[in-house]
């Protein structure tokens, strides 16, 4: 089948060494607009060869020979990535803090900036005097935040909900694989989840859909592959944030902490929303790129 005219350049016939294949993969991915083509090339090669990125780089320096079958497999994955399929969908795994999570079509791929959101929730849980503080992750997606809380604050009890039938199989798989004894997952809408916990929770955290309905994400990986259910939050992007605020007020005990991830231009609007709902000490925090990323508040 002839490739369309706007398709990425196709890799040439199989190189015979890791060195040549790595150079070819990096060039192909770079031509397709991948931000870090060398990193992705190394990770794809390592995925097929069962090697770490450092081992791939060492093999490239040494000019290690590469079998035809491995080269063919790697080039096929490079072609997929060049068409902007997310790297995590290709490998089926996404790193998140100390975890590696199962991901694929139907579930939102956790981002590095969300690791900072999780850190705020972890710090808040650790600061609680309760012998078993309760943390709740509303709309957990892959389970990234909830499982980070459960594994890094082992004396806490962590509850998570997800209501997407496409995402939930991935969530369940990750909960089963991590097997944190203090983590519980339910299929439920976040507006109604965990009535049995009302007024007892120490920390509520959420990475809700927050992109306005008419906004178009720049990155093809997001626009074409992330589920709309996890991206779009109504006309102003804050429909689900409003639900999180109300659910947080229901679940949290006095002095409990609410933590919400959001877009870089939404901090002021979310603080105003939370202030109007009666929250106290609202504050917006920047991520490592200095962009506003998270807003926190205290339950009165």
């Amino acid at each position: 089948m002839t490739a369309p005219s706007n398709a990425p350049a196709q890799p040439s016939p199989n190189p015979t060494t890791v060195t040549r294949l790595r150079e070819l993969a990096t060039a192909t991915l770079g031509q397709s607009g991948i931000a870090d083509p060398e990193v992705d090339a190394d990770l794809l090669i390592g995925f097929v060869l069962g090697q770490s990125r450092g081992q791939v780089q060492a093999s490239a320096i040494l000019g290690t020979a590469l079998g035809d079958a491995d080269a063919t497999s790697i080039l096929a994955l490079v072609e997929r990535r060049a068409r902007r399929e997310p790297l995590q969908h290709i490998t089926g795994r996404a790193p998140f803090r100390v975890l590696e999570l199962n991901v694929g079509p139907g579930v939102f791929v956790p981002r590095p900036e969300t690791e900072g959101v999780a850190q705020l929730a972890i710090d808040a849980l650790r600061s609680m005097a309760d012998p078993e503080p309760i943390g709740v992750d509303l709309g957990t997606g892959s389970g990234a935040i909830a499982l980070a809380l459960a594994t890094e604050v082992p004396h806490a009890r962590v509850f998570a909900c997800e209501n997407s039938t496409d995402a939930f199989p991935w969530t369940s798989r990750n909960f089963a694989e991590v097997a944190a004894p203090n983590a519980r997952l339910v299929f439920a809408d976040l507006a109604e989840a965990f009535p049995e916990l009302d007024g007892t929770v120490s920390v509520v955290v959420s990475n809700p859909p927050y992109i306005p309905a008419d906004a178009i994400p720049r990155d093809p990986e997001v626009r074409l592959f992330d589920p709309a259910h996890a991206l779009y939050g109504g006309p102003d992007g804050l429909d689900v944030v409003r639900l999180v605020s109300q659910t947080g007020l229901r679940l949290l005990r006095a002095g409990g902490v609410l933590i919400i991830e959001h877009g870089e231009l939404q901090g002021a609007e979310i603080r105003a929303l939370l202030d109007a709902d009666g929250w106290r000490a609202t504050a917006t925090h920047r991520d490592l790129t200095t962009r506003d990323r998270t807003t926190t508040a205290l339950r009165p």
Side-chain angles (χ1 to χ4, degrees):
M1 181 180 294
T2 303
S5 59
N6 61 348
Q10 298 299 305
S12 61
N14 292 355
T16 57
T17 66
V18 173
T19 310
R20 290 179 58 197
L21 184 141
R22 184 172 182 264
E23 291 171 351
L24 176 59
T26 299
T28 301
L29 296 178
Q31 291 168 12
S32 299
I34 304 298
D36 296 301
E38 188 174 86
V39 173
D40 283 24
D42 288 345
L43 294 174
L44 290 172
I45 295 169
F47 176 67
V48 172
L49 300 182
Q51 296 181 349
S52 68
R53 189 180 177 210
Q55 289 173 318
V56 171
Q57 292 171 331
S59 295
I61 292 170
L62 295 172
T64 302
L66 193 66
D68 285 346
D70 284 339
T72 298
S73 296
I74 292 166
L75 291 173
L77 299 188
V78 169
E79 181 178 345
R80 289 172 61 186
R81 183 69 185 107
R83 295 181 184 278
R84 304 307 290 266
E85 183 176 349
L87 176 71
Q88 298 89 343
H89 282 198
I90 295 171
T91 65
R93 305 287 282 181
F96 188 82
R97 296 179 67 87
V98 300
L99 302 171
E100 275 223 346
L101 302 171
N102 299 285
V103 296
V107 70
F108 185 76
V109 175
R111 305 302 202 260
E113 53 266 30
T114 303
E115 295 189 9
V117 181
Q119 186 66 59
L120 288 170
I122 288 166
D123 291 343
L125 268 182
R126 286 174 174 167
S127 73
M128 300 296 172
D130 317 54
E132 288 186 326
I134 298 174
V136 172
D137 181 10
L138 298 174
T140 192
S142 67
I145 295 177
L147 291 171
L149 298 184
T151 54
E152 297 187 49
V153 193
H155 68 284
R157 296 163 58 203
V158 178
F159 297 78
C161 66
E162 177 55 51
N163 72 346
S164 166
T165 55
D166 293 325
F168 195 75
W170 296 104
T171 325
S172 300
R173 185 175 174 186
N174 287 323
F175 269 71
E177 185 173 292
V178 174
N182 58 335
R184 178 188 169 203
L185 171 67
V186 300
F187 184 87
D189 189 279
L190 62 83
E192 302 168 352
F194 308 118
E196 71 278 12
L197 298 179
D198 285 359
T200 67
V201 176
S202 299
V203 176
V204 168
V205 60
S206 183
N207 178 14
Y210 52 73
I211 298 175
D214 60 355
I216 301 175
R218 293 186 297 269
D219 294 337
E221 290 85 348
V222 177
R223 185 173 66 251
L224 301 176
F225 292 95
D226 273 327
H229 183 86
L231 295 178
Y232 300 104
D236 63 356
L238 301 182
D239 282 0
V240 184
V241 173
R242 294 183 181 94
L243 296 176
V244 169
S245 174
Q246 293 302 314
T247 302
L249 287 170
R250 171 172 63 81
L251 290 173
L252 287 167
R253 59 170 174 76
V257 180
L258 177 69
I259 300 166
I260 302 174
E261 178 172 340
H262 54 75
E264 61 183 293
L265 302 178
Q266 294 174 316
E269 193 170 1
I270 290 177
R271 291 195 305 275
L273 183 161
L274 297 177
D275 288 339
D277 281 350
W279 293 90
R280 301 173 65 179
T282 55
T284 298
H285 311 265
R286 293 180 175 180
D287 61 22
L288 294 177
T289 68
T290 73
R291 295 180 175 89
D292 285 352
R293 181 60 55 196
T294 315
T295 291
T296 59
L298 297 180
R299 173 71 162 87

